[in-house]
Amino acid sequence: MSSRSQFKTPKRLVVKIGTSSLIYPDGQLNLKTMDELAFTLSAVQNRGLEVVLVTSGAMGVGLSQMHMTKRPEAMAQQQAIAAIGQNELMSIFNQRFASYSQQIGQILLTHDVMDYPLSKKNVLNTFEQLLLMGAIPVVNENDSVSVDEMDHLTTFGDNDQLSALVATAIEADLLIVLSDIDGLFDADPHTHPDAQTVPFVSEITEEVVNSAGGSGTRFGTGGMITKLKAAKRVIEAGRQMVLANGEDPKVIFDILDGKSVGTLFARD
Ligand SMILES: Nc1ncnc2c1ncn2[C@@H]1O[C@H](COP(=O)(O)OP(=O)(O)O)[C@@H](O)[C@H]1O
Ligand SMILES: N[C@@H](CCC(=O)OP(=O)(O)O)C(=O)O
């Protein structure tokens, strides 16, 4: 595995994991990935890095809990399922992180919280205190209040962009987005089997955007388009984002070692 010259070693790290990495296509929870993620982030925190986890999965876990195979159509029902799932999601993470003696703290966000200076300041204070205490803040959108991200048809508001918002707001050096795909491909690999991975992107050009398609799974939302919007925000803030496959979260160790894994988005 080659190393990448553009990569700068971070002190403060945000990791976002998507539903497609946490839930198997048959709707079962991917406990292996959850446990390995808890282990990896605990080990990284233990070596002195400040770590924040942005996790999707409330809806997917809720559907699994309720033995449902697809999202209900009514928004209030989706919100109820996400409320059930968020609880279970945190319960699993709490238990897994506890087995590595790692404290976590939940932060549920809506976009307006970050729009208003006072509420933004309060949230940032909470992040700072959790990090000072050596805890890992675990973030998701507050789905009972905010509905943008739960509707497949809306493009604004999703955890990819939320993670970029968090990463830039807390001045993280690196955002790692873990998905069910090895990185950005030059075309949607589900429809173009010969598509190639792109190791480095310094600017989200029209050509890059045109290569992106929607989600490949029934539980994920946004697909590559929302990841590119996140990358744009991160690049413009002068920070770095790596998109990599979350199947084995230990890939985070390789990324932090500067190995050429997935796609690095950063200024040249
Ligand atoms: N150019 C592209 N490169 C990589 N993946 C793409 C591209 N265009 C569309 N995709 C799709 O985006 C999916 C990842 O997005 P999504 O299903 O929303 O995952 P997550 O749940 O991790 O947010 C991939 O599995 C793939 O099907
Ligand atoms: N708040 C939602 C997140 C939806 C979302 O952005 O999902 P994903 O595209 O899998 O990151 C949930 O927890 O289900």
Side-chain angles (χ1 to χ4, degrees), residues 32-48:
K32 176 177 175 285
T33 292
M34 288 168 122
D35 191 29
E36 285 175 1
L37 182 65
F39 164 72
T40 306
L41 297 187
S42 302
V44 167
Q45 199 281 339
N46 180 257
R47 293 311 303 132

Side-chain angles (χ1 to χ4, degrees), residues 3-268:
S3 60
R4 43 180 35 136
S5 54
Q6 304 94 341
F7 184 74
K8 291 187 215 85
T9 309
K11 284 196 165 58
R12 184 172 280 193
L13 167 70
V14 176
V15 174
K16 184 260 171 178
I17 190 149
T19 311
S20 59
S21 302
L22 298 172
I23 312 283
Y24 290 112
D26 66 1
Q28 292 289 324
L29 308 194
N30 190 334
L31 296 173
K32 176 177 175 285
T33 292
M34 288 168 122
D35 191 29
E36 285 175 1
L37 182 65
F39 164 72
T40 306
L41 297 187
S42 302
V44 167
Q45 199 281 339
N46 180 257
R47 293 311 303 132
L49 261 81
E50 293 177 319
V51 183
V52 173
L53 172 63
V54 177
T55 180
S56 302
M59 174 62 76
V61 173
L63 290 172
S64 165
Q65 288 282 102
M66 300 304 282
H67 308 289
M68 293 168 82
T69 50
K70 64 179 176 60
R71 290 166 191 248
E73 268 168 32
M75 189 51 74
Q77 285 179 14
Q78 290 194 32
Q79 289 175 291
I81 298 295
I84 290 168
Q86 178 65 24
N87 213 31
E88 180 64 12
L89 181 69
M90 285 308 287
S91 163
I92 298 168
F93 272 131
N94 211 29
Q95 187 207 44
R96 303 293 146 146
F97 276 103
S99 70
Y100 303 109
S101 304
Q102 177 60 56
Q103 195 63 55
I104 60 174
Q106 174 180 256
I107 298 186
L108 295 178
L109 287 177
T110 50
H111 282 273
D112 57 326
V113 167
M114 301 304 266
D115 289 342
Y116 289 98
L118 184 58
S119 52
K120 183 176 178 181
K121 183 169 168 282
N122 289 336
V123 167
L124 293 183
N125 287 344
T126 310
F127 273 110
E128 291 302 331
Q129 281 305 315
L130 284 168
L131 293 171
L132 265 176
M133 290 172 182
I136 295 182
V138 179
V139 184
N140 195 354
E141 184 141 354
N142 190 346
D143 291 322
S144 3
V145 178
S146 160
V147 294
D148 293 333
E149 67 180 317
M150 298 170 81
D151 184 345
H152 278 289
L153 299 176
T154 55
T155 50
F156 180 77
D158 64 276
N159 274 1
D160 295 321
Q161 293 180 84
L162 177 69
S163 65
L165 195 70
V166 167
T168 51
I170 67 167
E171 302 185 349
D173 315 289
L174 174 65
L175 167 64
I176 297 178
V177 175
L178 296 176
S179 186
D180 64 345
I181 196 98
D182 289 345
L184 175 71
F185 282 69
D186 53 13
D188 185 347
H190 287 285
T191 47
H192 297 76
D194 54 349
Q196 304 285 317
T197 42
V198 183
F200 179 64
V201 175
S202 62
E203 200 188 340
I204 308 301
T205 59
E206 214 179 304
E207 191 195 347
V208 174
V209 173
N210 288 340
S211 71
S215 174
T217 69
R218 66 197 158 110
F219 295 121
T221 63
M224 201 43 57
I225 294 161
T226 52
K227 289 169 187 38
L228 292 181
K229 287 183 179 171
K232 188 169 192 293
R233 186 186 280 269
V234 170
I235 294 174
E236 283 174 1
R239 299 174 193 280
Q240 323 174 83
M241 173 175 137
V242 172
L243 172 64
N245 199 321
E247 195 184 345
D248 180 0
K250 292 205 257 337
V251 73
I252 292 170
F253 294 132
D254 291 334
I255 295 170
L256 294 175
D257 282 344
K259 291 181 183 153
S260 192
V261 178
T263 304
L264 171 65
F265 298 87
R267 280 191 195 144
D268 242 338

